[in-house]
Amino acid sequence: MAKKENIFDKAKDTVSKKTDVIKDKAEDLVEDVQEVVEDVKKNTEKDKATKVADKVKGTDSKVSETVKSSAKQVASEVKNGGKTITPKDAKIPEGPLADKWTNYKNQQKLVNPANKRRLDVIVVGTGLAGASAAASLAEMGFNVLNFCIQDSPRRAHSIAAQGGINAAKNYPNDGDSVYRLFYDTIKGGDYRAREANVYRLAEVSNSIIDQCVAQGVPFAREYGGLLDNRSFGGAQVSRTFYARGQTGQQLLLGAYSALSRQVGKGAVKLYTRYDMLDVVIVEGRARGIIARNLVTGKVERFFAHAVVVGTGGYGNAFFLSTNAMGSNGSAALQMYKKGAYFANPAFAQIHPTCIPVHGKFQSKLTLMSESLRNDGRIWVPKKKEDAEAIRARKLKPTDIKEEDRDYYLERRYPAFGNLVPRDVASRAAKERCDAGFGVGSTGLAVYLDFSDAINRLGKDVVEARYGNLFQMYEKIVDDNPYETPMMIYPAIHYTMGGMWVDYELMTNIPGLFCIGEANFSDHGANRLGASALMQGLADGYFVLPYTIQNYLADQIRVPRMSVDKEEFVEAEKAVNDKIQKIMNIQGKRSVDSIHKELGLIMWDFVGMGRTAEGLKTALDKIIAIRKEFWSNVYVPGKADSLNMELEKALRLADFIDIGELMARDALLREESCGGHFREEYQTPEGEALRNDEDFSYVACWKYTGEGNEPELIKEPLDYEFVERQQRNYKA
Amino acid sequence: MEKLLNLTLKVWRQDGPKAKGAFETYKLNGISPDSSFLEMMDILNDQLINEHKDPIAFDHDCREGICGTCSMYINGHPHGPDSGITTCQLHMRSFKDGETITVEPWRSAAFPIIKDLMVDRSAFDKIIQAGGYISVNTGGIPDGNAIPISKWHADEAMDAASCIGCGACVATCKNGSAMLFVAAKVSQLSLLPQGKIEASQRAKKMLSKMDELGFGNCTNTGACEAECPKNISITHIARLNREFIGAKFID
Ligand SMILES: Cc1cc2nc3c(=O)[nH]c(=O)nc-3n(C[C@H](O)[C@H](O)[C@H](O)COP(=O)(O)OP(=O)(O)OC[C@H]3O[C@@H](n4cnc5c(N)ncnc54)[C@H](O)[C@@H]3O)c2cc1C
Ligand code: SF4
Ligand code: FES
């Protein structure tokens, strides 16, 4: 009790102190105005007087605005107990939601063509975000250096996206609009994304489709020759464009072809098989990167006037995920260690439809596209004994009678049925399996059944829609999904969290930009299907190439720097020291064995159902793993040659730090929202219970040095245009 | 209980592009038939690491048959004995207990070996850079539905566009020709009205780049089609040839 009062007193004290600050500020401003008024009195000339009078008017409104905004900031600082980021810091343009982007473009600075040639831009990543940005910047005339870890830009992880890409075209005439796409994305993200960014995303979505068609992306078409659409989770309209089950591949090959055209022209210099290991900061601005040539092992330095990072998500912290083997969070973590904020690290998406884990040798999990939920029905047996019999291989799914099947999504969410958002579908599967109704040999699987669709549409139609996915499934599981239902289970898939960026997609380090999955911006606490491809291409084709100019316009007088500059040399040395340190450990454990251990901790404690206790356990265990890694990892071979174990070790060192950040952030967020589910915070029906009162903010983590706790900085999310509701997919 | 496999592996080891390579033989026991070929390779590498030996370098990334990174020549076939799949999609249930499996890199003049099973396929990128695109810049594009495209054309273009750029076609061709790869791109783009305009020039530029980079000529053996993991059809080569002849007319 005494303690509570104490806190209360403290808060009161802070409020009164802060109020004093406002008062002081207001008084200062009033004084300013008075000075001006004195000025008027002194000046008798008429025109001068009117000029000054105008000035007074201007000051007047400024006074109230400044007082208002500083009052707002102080209020939120008091409430949040710490430093905050305001909409102004985030560079959100003024005006109504629908005008913000246009206003921004009308007012932003541009770089003239002659100057563009003198400006170098590093783009790290050749996924949808990186490739589209590199190509577009080069087309505009900038000098681009483009890096990726694969042997070809075409192999970036975006290639694996299956289902589709959203746009607000409203071709099917089912009531779609920019606003609706914006609204669905905000709602799907459980009101944890910035309104202005999301609206812009919806706004440029249509241009993406046009652009890709022009590049020769063979989107699916109807018999009349027009583009076809399908529906995806979290939406009641059909707005998803697709190219068979290979949409990501086709979009990436489109961006890759645009990029290749610029490489051919010499406007982009390509660095394949290069691993970015640090960003170089000169006088507070990003001026280059340190990257390791993966073939020779040599660590090299690169300069540019600005650095753009589009290195994808960090889901592989879980070891087993749907991401490619090389997907990593290292570039993000290095930026964080150089002072860039890591935002909402805990927001990770568990995808409901993946092929279940089947053995300890397993290296990755395969996604079965969400588009399957269009025609597939998800169920488990109604009776526990049936589930047990199936697990013991005494019964087959086809033996279970219709009335003995529990189509639990259709039962719980009649309005959206099998098309509820991913987080909802994932948790519902976990709930059924935890309750003992799971199938498969491990009991950690549910059925995705196409028999209805095959009866209704015919096998041909189903094959045309999903043929390659069915084939993929059969190759892995050795089971024919046309005859027996598929088995699926949730797996980590996408990370909504990432580098904090402002409206211009710039991190808090000037000149350091972040695009695509690597930033935190548009999906809040949960991403809707087919929206990552949209965001990656929006960032790369239509947003960054504009916003970066607002920064570069001031850099035209900065001459190219020598990479022998102290900051570059030091950064390179730090990287080499770190590599040597890892090489010298010569312990007993392989990189993968430690990574698998980390992955299990992440899945068990930082996965679908999080609790305060579990997260604390995770933090302790992760700290122990860090110790194990830095004292007992074994990396064979040499540092100055091709060494895949070393590559993995460097990434694992960063995944351990990311894992810790994820757990810390999840522990802080005492609410359930989107993909972040804290078991303590749920409704009696087991739905996520958001807490807008206390957690309506972006949690930004600032690095404070090795072994120290990071500092928390909040960006409050004020919803100006949308009224927040508890998400409801039932009715 | 599934029966575990005991295997002998003969793997090509080569330290660098200029080094002399040789086969090394390894014994590997207790492999689950449900594991993928690359997971088997992981287990072998884990064994080598535990013995403080140099693990085998090989390329891989998505492990689901779409990125085109994996590239092993297994028992005389690129991507192994099964058809229509990549190395990473191959599963150990395709092999018998006690079998000896031979694993080699892609072998082609245009794909120099980097290390062990890893080769340099950047020549493919260079072919695309020479003309494998439609010349449009970002922005200022008409509506996606402005030009209707027949479903047949779109589907046929999609078939061609499925190429993952893995290089199996080159590895299996006795001439080391990249014809199927080039044809897939030329065909995709010339089937679409947007790409038709540059079709002939594109074919010409890409083919001359292919020759320049040391790929061989196509003598229509059809081996590429048989080994292509994406079943790219050699009918696309016919379409490429038509565009190429068109280019000669224009010149
Ligand atoms: C299996 C699967 C299916 C999906 N399906 C869909 C879908 O249907 N619709 C949808 O909207 N989204 C989908 N997604 C999500 C979507 O594919 C990704 O979020 C998106 O493609 C990410 O694009 P990106 O450009 O940000 O990053 P990526 O495509 O991951 O590219 C990262 C790039 O950065 C490079 N890189 C990484 N680290 C470094 C480093 N340290 N140094 C140098 N370079 C580096 C890589 O080489 C690569 O070029 C899917 C994801 C998965 C895993
Ligand atoms: S044509 Fe087939 S074999 Fe050749 S690169 Fe493309 S996918 Fe591979
Ligand atoms: S690893 Fe991507 S195709 Fe095999």
Side-chain angles (χ1 to χ4, degrees):
Chain A
M1 199 59 200
K3 209 173 166 194
K4 246 193 186 161
E5 266 164 29
N6 210 342
I7 293 172
F8 187 67
D9 285 346
K10 242 189 184 163
K12 243 177 33 192
D13 199 42
T14 331
V15 173
S16 76
K17 264 189 209 148
K18 297 272 178 175
T19 320
D20 288 347
V21 175
I22 300 183
K23 257 196 214 150
D24 286 351
K25 270 192 189 159
E27 272 163 19
D28 285 352
L29 286 164
V30 170
E31 268 170 32
D32 286 351
V33 179
Q34 269 162 0
E35 254 171 48
V36 179
V37 173
E38 289 301 308
D39 246 23
V40 182
K41 279 185 190 154
K42 274 186 224 149
N43 289 296
T44 45
E45 283 168 60
K46 217 179 169 189
D47 59 331
K48 238 189 188 171
T50 41
K51 249 191 224 157
V52 177
D54 283 350
K55 211 167 153 194
V56 174
K57 255 195 226 154
T59 327
D60 208 31
S61 68
K62 247 190 241 152
V63 171
S64 61
E65 237 173 64
T66 323
V67 171
K68 239 196 339 212
S69 91
S70 71
K72 223 173 165 184
Q73 168 152 11
V74 170
S76 84
E77 274 177 30
V78 171
K79 189 166 147 225
N80 294 309
K83 207 168 144 190
T84 59
I85 297 169
T86 63
K88 213 169 141 206
D89 298 331
K91 303 200 198 112
I92 313 282
E94 295 292 324
L97 194 56
D99 299 342
K100 284 181 191 290
W101 182 228
T102 311
N103 288 348
Y104 176 89
K105 284 192 291 184
N106 288 343
Q107 285 161 21
Q108 72 160 118
K109 286 175 263 182
L110 294 174
V111 181
N112 84 33
N115 285 329
K116 281 181 185 145
R117 278 193 295 277
R118 286 194 273 156
L119 292 170
D120 300 343
V121 182
I122 284 177
V123 178
V124 188
T126 60
L128 288 180
S132 56
S136 304
L137 290 168
E139 285 163 11
M140 290 171 154
F142 293 104
N143 202 15
V144 179
L145 295 80
N146 191 193
F147 294 76
C148 70
I149 49 177
Q150 289 86 0
D151 67 330
S152 163
R154 67 179 289 153
R155 305 200 204 285
H157 168 57
S158 295
I159 199 97
Q162 303 168 350
I165 177 167
N166 287 331
K169 285 280 196 188
N170 193 29
Y171 285 155
N173 194 27
D174 54 4
D176 203 6
S177 64
V178 167
Y179 184 83
R180 198 175 278 274
L181 174 54
F182 151 76
Y183 179 77
D184 285 348
T185 309
I186 285 276
K187 176 186 171 197
D190 222 353
Y191 306 97
R192 290 293 175 266
R194 240 188 239 147
E195 281 179 317
N197 286 54
V198 177
Y199 195 89
R200 174 178 65 189
L201 173 67
E203 217 176 327
V204 302
S205 66
N206 292 340
S207 308
I208 297 173
I209 302 304
D210 303 338
Q211 187 67 37
C212 296
V213 168
Q215 288 168 345
V217 170
F219 282 121
R221 298 207 170 237
E222 291 170 352
Y223 283 100
L226 301 183
L227 293 158
D228 191 19
N229 287 125
R230 54 164 65 141
S231 37
F232 246 55
Q236 286 170 314
V237 293
S238 281
R239 61 160 75 99
T240 306
F241 294 78
Y242 65 100
R244 260 177 225 157
Q246 292 138 262
T247 316
Q249 177 196 31
Q250 294 311 314
L251 296 175
L252 184 63
L253 292 181
Y256 162 75
S257 71
L259 173 64
S260 297
R261 178 168 161 246
Q262 297 306 315
V263 176
K265 287 183 170 174
V268 175
K269 175 127 179 57
L270 207 54
Y271 294 88
T272 58
R273 295 197 197 262
Y274 268 84
D275 202 346
M276 165 178 169
L277 295 178
D278 207 357
V279 49
V280 181
I281 313 283
V282 179
E283 286 159 11
R285 292 171 191 274
R287 289 297 188 200
I289 64 166
I290 304 295
R292 183 165 173 270
N293 178 327
L294 297 177
V295 175
T296 64
K298 192 166 180 293
V299 175
E300 301 172 23
R301 312 165 215 159
F302 299 91
F303 162 82
H305 292 88
V307 176
V308 181
V309 176
T311 50
Y314 51 87
N316 271 350
F318 283 61
F319 188 73
L320 284 181
S321 85
T322 62
N323 290 5
M325 302 299 287
S327 295
N328 67 89
S330 289
L333 199 84
Q334 299 324 317
M335 294 191 278
Y336 163 73
K337 288 200 166 168
K338 282 284 163 86
Y341 304 154
F342 207 126
N344 297 335
F347 288 169
Q349 179 167 80
I350 312 259
H351 196 293
T353 54
C354 302
I355 299 179
V357 178
H358 58 86
K360 70 175 189 338
F361 49 80
Q362 197 155 349
S363 58
K364 77 156 277 166
L365 294 172
T366 303
L367 174 82
M368 287 286 105
S369 167
E370 170 164 301
S371 60
L372 292 169
R373 288 200 272 145
N374 263 307
D375 290 310
R377 298 178 68 197
I378 296 178
W379 63 275
V380 291
K382 253 185 205 157
K383 299 186 198 143
K384 248 187 203 157
E385 24 338 334
D386 285 349
E388 276 157 16
I390 286 176
R391 291 200 289 269
R393 298 190 191 198
K394 286 186 199 134
L395 278 180
K396 287 204 287 280
T398 40
D399 297 335
I400 310 292
K401 284 204 280 308
E402 189 58 29
E403 60 269 27
D404 292 331
R405 300 175 176 194
D406 176 14
Y407 297 94
Y408 56 87
L409 288 177
E410 296 168 28
R411 169 170 58 80
R412 283 177 67 175
Y413 308 99
F416 279 68
N418 292 297
L419 287 175
V420 290
R422 292 175 176 175
D423 56 322
V424 178
S426 294
R427 273 197 302 281
K430 179 178 188 298
E431 188 276 331
R432 283 294 79 192
C433 293
D434 288 352
F437 296 92
V439 297
S441 55
T442 55
L444 292 177
V446 300
Y447 290 125
L448 178 61
D449 197 332
F450 290 87
S451 50
D452 263 12
I454 293 173
N455 289 338
R456 183 165 38 94
L457 305 163
K459 194 182 158 195
D460 292 356
V461 174
V462 172
E463 189 174 350
R465 284 188 192 163
Y466 311 110
N468 70 321
L469 297 172
F470 279 32
Q471 185 223 22
M472 193 193 254
Y473 181 86
E474 189 170 354
K475 287 288 172 201
I476 295 172
V477 184
D478 205 19
D479 214 3
N480 181 349
Y482 293 102
E483 279 153 26
T484 39
M486 279 185 181
M487 278 193 284
I488 52 163
Y489 199 64
I492 185 94
H493 175 60
Y494 181 90
T495 48
M496 282 77 67
M499 303 322 293
W500 181 87
V501 287
D502 60 21
Y503 190 73
E504 296 184 327
L505 304 182
M506 188 160 87
T507 66
N508 54 308
I509 297 177
L512 183 60
F513 294 78
C514 190
I515 56 177
E517 188 174 339
N519 74 24
F520 90 106
S521 69
D522 297 338
H523 308 292
N526 173 54
R527 173 177 70 78
L528 290 184
S531 284
L533 302 184
M534 170 174 72
Q535 182 226 331
L537 291 180
D539 287 2
Y541 284 132
F542 297 110
V543 179
L544 178 97
Y546 281 94
T547 58
I548 199 173
Q549 293 191 56
N550 208 30
Y551 174 78
L552 287 173
D554 296 332
Q555 304 298 310
I556 47 182
R557 283 195 187 77
V558 178
R560 294 196 165 106
M561 289 174 193
S562 153
V563 290
D564 292 333
K565 216 173 156 55
E566 199 187 339
E567 288 87 346
F568 285 86
V569 176
E570 265 172 21
E572 187 203 283
K573 185 175 177 302
V575 166
N576 274 322
D577 288 351
K578 181 174 169 186
I579 290 174
Q580 266 324 311
K581 195 170 159 194
I582 290 176
M583 293 304 296
N584 289 343
I585 298 169
Q586 295 292 309
K588 292 199 172 62
R589 306 254 326 248
S590 71
V591 177
D592 278 357
S593 76
I594 302 178
H595 198 167
K596 282 181 188 175
E597 201 180 317
L598 174 69
L600 278 180
I601 293 167
M602 297 304 290
W603 183 249
D604 287 345
F605 301 108
V606 198
M608 264 189 288
R610 301 163 169 176
T611 63
E613 200 190 339
L615 290 164
K616 283 180 195 148
T617 312
L619 281 170
D620 289 343
K621 286 181 184 269
I622 293 170
I623 288 165
I625 285 194
R626 178 181 295 123
K627 209 167 145 215
E628 175 74 0
F629 175 87
W630 286 103
S631 60
N632 201 20
V633 75
Y634 171 68
V635 177
K638 295 187 300 256
D640 57 354
S641 67
L642 188 146
N643 188 337
M644 295 183 107
E645 287 299 304
L646 174 60
E647 291 165 31
K648 288 198 286 186
L650 284 162
R651 286 176 198 146
L652 175 57
D654 296 333
F655 279 135
I656 295 172
D657 291 355
I658 289 175
E660 185 188 336
L661 267 181
M662 290 178 81
R664 204 177 276 289
D665 189 43
L667 185 60
L668 166 89
R669 199 168 275 279
E670 293 175 334
E671 65 163 346
S672 295
C673 61
H676 168 70
F677 192 73
R678 282 283 298 267
E679 286 176 5
E680 305 97 314
Y681 308 98
Q682 51 180 310
T683 64
E685 301 89 55
E687 306 296 337
L689 192 60
R690 229 175 45 226
N691 176 353
D692 292 336
E693 192 56 39
D694 299 315
F695 292 97
S696 180
Y697 60 75
V698 179
C700 307
W701 297 94
K702 182 174 180 235
Y703 185 66
T704 54
E706 207 66 62
N708 296 341
E709 284 200 11
E711 183 190 343
L712 175 68
I713 295 162
K714 298 174 185 174
E715 181 189 337
L717 292 168
D718 288 326
Y719 277 78
E720 244 186 288
F721 304 95
V722 168
E723 199 193 326
R724 269 187 285 214
Q725 289 163 352
Q726 202 65 34
R727 286 193 311 170
N728 177 4
Y729 293 98
K730 288 177 193 287
Chain B
M1 194 53 210
E2 53 182 13
K3 188 160 178 343
L4 301 179
L5 309 174
N6 297 332
L7 304 163
T8 304
L9 284 139
K10 275 178 65 185
V11 183
W12 185 260
R13 305 297 312 257
Q14 182 173 332
D15 233 17
K18 301 228 167 61
K20 205 168 154 290
F23 281 108
E24 286 258 0
T25 304
Y26 305 98
K27 291 261 178 243
L28 197 58
N29 295 335
I31 297 297
S32 158
D34 281 339
S35 68
S36 73
F37 196 85
L38 294 185
E39 281 163 353
M40 183 275 294
M41 293 297 290
D42 291 340
I43 296 170
L44 174 57
N45 269 346
D46 212 46
Q47 189 173 303
L48 291 173
I49 292 165
N50 284 333
E51 294 164 4
H52 284 207
K53 289 185 184 144
D54 190 26
I56 301 158
F58 62 89
D59 267 324
H60 64 107
D61 200 20
C62 75
R63 295 207 176 186
E64 51 188 63
I66 193 74
C67 70
T69 312
C70 61
S71 44
M72 291 182 193
Y73 204 82
I74 302 160
N75 287 349
H77 296 276
H79 297 306
D82 288 9
S83 66
I85 54 166
T86 55
T87 304
C88 60
Q89 291 176 298
L90 180 63
H91 277 69
M92 295 313 291
R93 61 181 84 93
S94 301
F95 298 90
K96 290 190 293 289
D97 185 34
E99 197 172 331
T100 297
I101 306 173
T102 309
V103 192
E104 294 169 78
W106 282 180
R107 293 188 195 277
S108 160
F111 294 161
I113 291 177
I114 295 174
K115 189 182 176 191
D116 300 336
L117 305 174
M118 192 185 261
V119 300
D120 179 357
R121 285 170 289 189
S122 51
F124 267 9
D125 287 327
K126 296 202 177 91
I127 294 177
I128 299 289
Q129 287 154 17
Y133 46 75
I134 294 174
S135 300
V136 290
N137 282 357
T138 304
I141 303 281
D143 188 87
N145 261 346
I147 309 174
I149 299 173
S150 84
K151 184 163 162 47
W152 181 87
H153 280 87
D155 286 350
E156 189 79 359
M158 180 64 221
D159 282 344
S162 303
C163 164
I164 56 174
C166 63
C169 45
V170 177
T172 197
C173 176
K174 69 178 171 51
N175 308 318
S177 171
M179 204 61 169
L180 193 60
F181 168 77
V182 175
K185 190 45 75 187
V186 169
S187 181
Q188 174 206 341
L189 297 180
S190 64
L191 277 160
L192 302 169
Q194 291 86 352
K196 188 74 200 157
I197 301 152
E198 298 171 277
S200 293
Q201 285 308 307
R202 177 181 304 117
K204 198 179 136 194
K205 285 196 239 165
M206 290 176 75
L207 282 177
S208 75
K209 190 48 120 186
M210 175 182 113
D211 291 343
E212 180 194 320
L213 291 167
F215 291 98
N217 287 323
C218 174
T219 54
N220 288 314
T221 65
C224 50
E225 182 188 62
E227 296 290 3
C228 171
K230 296 293 147 184
N231 302 317
I232 304 289
S233 154
I234 48 173
T235 56
H236 296 296
I237 298 185
R239 191 170 287 117
L240 164 67
N241 285 332
R242 280 203 295 280
E243 296 300 352
F244 186 60
I245 292 165
K248 280 193 183 148
F249 270 124
I250 293 168
D251 285 353

